[in-house]
Amino acid sequence: MSISGKITAFAVLSAGLSMASPAQATDTFAQFAQIFSSARIFTYTNTSGGTEAELGTVAGSNTVLISDIGLLASASFAKVSLVGTASALPTVGITISQLFSGSLTFTLLAPQVGLSGPSVKALTITFTNAALLASPGGSAPTIQASSDAGSVITYASDFADLSGTTSEDFALSFSGASLPLIVVGGRLPDFYVSGSGTFAAILPAPEPATWSLMLAGFGAVGGTMRRRKAAVAFT
């Protein structure tokens, strides 16, 4: 078989294998880390008016967002914004637990290729029933959420279609709380922490039309190589 024929056959076989066994595992597709790992950019505050606590971020909190989706396939500087509310007091046992609903958004600080301006939202996570968990007296709480465990999670991006994601989950790891996490009078004290996080989901599989275009492209490449080989032999 000619070299061009082998390339075309390999491409068709690879595409066929991909179609026959699409990935179904929940994979981490994005993660983030702070530019200054020790900066306490996340906040927890008690409030009044029916909301028992709020999660937030200090203004101008910068992170590095790493993703495998769309154009953002490498490390990019982004501003993180966390807004969360809890309508019930924390429960206390071996672990302190409190449920939050809200959103987490990463806005690019520098324009990417094909995108305009630094206001592009690279990733937005909207969630309900994310559990803030902490060890009594500790300084490293976490927020964990999984759609398989009853949380409602959606992912969105200004440049990647994430509407078909399923089995979403995420985990935020905090450290260096400004105060020991001890419940006093049924409430946690206000504190600041630094953080990092991972986001996972089963991403949408390519549509059949996409596979058709890929196969047509492979065939065109093979045809072009055959024509070039014939032209070389003729001369």
Side-chain angles (χ1 to χ4, degrees):
M1 181 183 290
S2 67
I3 294 176
S4 60
K6 289 179 180 179
I7 292 175
T8 304
F10 178 76
V12 172
L13 176 61
S14 299
L17 289 174
S18 298
M19 285 187 286
S21 56
Q24 290 298 312
T26 303
D27 295 323
T28 297
F29 68 88
Q31 56 187 315
F32 81 91
Q34 293 183 199
I35 293 176
F36 302 106
S37 59
S38 61
R40 293 168 176 167
I41 64 175
F42 294 92
T43 67
Y44 174 103
T45 56
N46 290 306
T47 61
S48 58
T51 300
E52 299 297 346
E54 291 184 352
L55 293 173
T57 41
V58 176
S61 301
N62 297 344
T63 65
V64 174
L65 179 66
I66 303 173
S67 175
D68 293 327
I69 58 174
L71 299 174
L72 194 68
S74 60
S76 298
F77 293 112
K79 180 175 70 176
V80 60
S81 175
L82 173 62
V83 178
T85 58
S87 57
L89 295 171
T91 59
V92 185
I94 298 177
T95 301
I96 300 170
S97 178
Q98 192 168 20
L99 296 180
F100 282 83
S101 298
S103 65
L104 183 65
T105 300
F106 295 90
T107 304
L108 297 182
L109 295 177
Q112 303 291 300
V113 176
L115 302 176
S116 59
S119 62
V120 174
K121 291 180 174 58
L123 184 63
T124 298
I125 305 96
T126 304
F127 58 87
T128 66
N129 298 324
L132 183 145
L133 305 172
S135 298
S139 62
T142 63
I143 295 180
Q144 301 176 13
S146 172
S147 57
D148 292 339
S151 298
V152 177
I153 305 167
T154 59
Y155 291 124
S157 172
D158 279 357
F159 58 85
D161 182 8
L162 300 178
S163 59
T165 55
T166 58
S167 297
E168 302 92 346
D169 60 63
F170 69 85
L172 307 182
S173 299
F174 299 120
S175 62
S178 56
L179 291 173
L181 304 181
I182 299 175
V183 175
V184 178
R187 293 175 178 269
L188 279 168
D190 297 351
F191 60 84
Y192 293 82
V193 287
S194 56
S196 60
T198 58
F199 309 97
I202 296 177
L203 301 178
E207 297 294 331
T210 302
W211 289 118
S212 299
L213 288 173
M214 288 175 63
L215 293 176
F218 293 144
V221 170
T224 299
M225 292 184 68
R226 283 193 295 273
R227 287 193 296 272
R228 287 180 178 174
K229 183 177 180 181
V232 171
F234 179 77
T235 58

